[in-house]
Amino acid sequence: MKTIFVTGTAGAGKSLLTSKLYDYYTKNGIFASVLNLDPGVRDLPYTCDVDVRDYVDIIDIMQQYELGPNGAVVMANDLIASKIDEIQEQIGKVNPDYLIVDTPGQIELFAYRSSGRFVTENILSEEKMNIFLFDGALITTPVNFVSIALLATSIRLRLNLPTINIITKTDLIGSKLKDILEWSGNLKVLENAIAKEADGETYSLTTNILRGLNLGGFAQGLIPFSNVTGEGLINLEGALSRILNLGEEVED
């Protein structure tokens, strides 16, 4: 089994990408399944094979511990870690070739609490990797782009997994997509764009962060993905295969 985690900021399109990736694998004869790790989600665009909502209940937690919604979600995510053996047993019964893991909408609950790292490490798998979603609607300015790039790098550090970065919502950003792709592949172009937008202090801080990210290997380009049409999914699958299967791509 190979495991693909799907991470990103709230509203970036994690569940939709999970659904489309699952459909793509299934269409091509690959046995894929989905693990939903978000205990607070109400509706999902796919059918879960393994669902943490079967193990923890937000409403029950709120009532039992007299917590508000936010506190209950935090506790629920920590309780999930205590259920990892049961979750792993259920995954083993399904035994897919690919397990796609849809992570919580509040990325800080998954990536920065020890319970999230614990779950990531204790899902048994031959290979693991992460897809980080850059919300296209959030990165149409160069300073915002660098801010999300910093978050993506931080998540990669926390999860300690090979990571592919993609841009979602390309349908909504029009000609800005071209700018974003240039920023992701050309440090000088991005620095010039920042200089036009930011004051001296912001420019200095942003470019210093940017150069650190570039030295860390961030500037490898992003894969555009359309939430509406699914365009870009073949390129994404190819990138996944190069990491998970030594380049053996799924035939479309």
Side-chain angles (χ1 to χ4, degrees), residues 71-90:
V73 170
V74 171
M75 176 167 280
N77 277 277
D78 289 345
L79 287 173
I80 288 168
S82 70
K83 304 287 186 178
I84 189 62
D85 289 340
E86 296 172 57
I87 294 170
Q88 181 60 54
E89 182 180 0
Q90 185 62 33

Side-chain angles (χ1 to χ4, degrees), residues 201-248:
E201 183 176 352
T202 301
Y203 173 80
S204 177
L205 175 60
T206 306
T207 52
N208 283 335
I209 291 172
L210 172 63
R211 288 163 186 163
L213 295 178
N214 186 60
L215 291 173
F218 166 75
Q220 300 169 353
L222 303 173
I223 298 174
F225 171 75
S226 166
N227 297 60
V228 176
T229 67
E231 183 179 359
L233 199 56
I234 293 176
N235 291 335
L236 172 59
E237 193 283 322
L240 290 169
S241 289
R242 283 190 288 276
I243 295 174
L244 294 174
N245 303 314
L246 300 178
E248 297 180 11

Side-chain angles (χ1 to χ4, degrees), residues 80-150:
I80 288 168
S82 70
K83 304 287 186 178
I84 189 62
D85 289 340
E86 296 172 57
I87 294 170
Q88 181 60 54
E89 182 180 0
Q90 185 62 33
I91 294 171
K93 289 178 180 178
V94 178
N95 193 28
D97 296 318
Y98 287 86
L99 178 69
I100 308 168
V101 183
D102 189 8
T103 63
Q106 302 93 330
I107 193 170
E108 68 278 6
L109 296 181
F110 177 69
Y112 295 114
R113 296 183 68 82
S114 57
S115 55
R117 177 71 175 264
F118 179 83
V119 169
T120 303
E121 292 177 342
N122 284 276
I123 291 178
L124 303 179
S125 184
E126 297 171 38
E127 301 286 345
K128 300 176 188 177
M129 65 171 305
N130 176 49
I131 303 172
F132 184 87
L133 280 59
F134 280 63
D135 187 333
L138 297 182
I139 58 172
T140 55
T141 68
V143 171
N144 283 0
F145 175 81
V146 174
S147 298
I148 299 299
L150 179 59

Side-chain angles (χ1 to χ4, degrees), residues 127-217:
E127 301 286 345
K128 300 176 188 177
M129 65 171 305
N130 176 49
I131 303 172
F132 184 87
L133 280 59
F134 280 63
D135 187 333
L138 297 182
I139 58 172
T140 55
T141 68
V143 171
N144 283 0
F145 175 81
V146 174
S147 298
I148 299 299
L150 179 59
L151 175 62
T153 304
S154 176
I155 298 302
R156 182 174 182 176
L157 177 64
R158 283 290 301 161
L159 299 184
N160 193 32
L161 293 173
T163 299
I164 294 171
N165 297 305
I166 73 170
I167 311 170
T168 61
K169 303 181 182 177
T170 56
D171 313 90
L172 302 179
I173 58 179
S175 61
K176 276 292 183 179
L177 176 60
K178 180 181 178 181
D179 294 336
I180 294 168
L181 293 175
E182 288 182 349
W183 297 340
S184 70
N186 191 315
L187 179 63
K188 191 61 179 178
V189 169
L190 181 52
E191 285 189 358
N192 290 339
I194 294 168
K196 292 177 182 178
E197 175 188 288
D199 58 30
E201 183 176 352
T202 301
Y203 173 80
S204 177
L205 175 60
T206 306
T207 52
N208 283 335
I209 291 172
L210 172 63
R211 288 163 186 163
L213 295 178
N214 186 60
L215 291 173

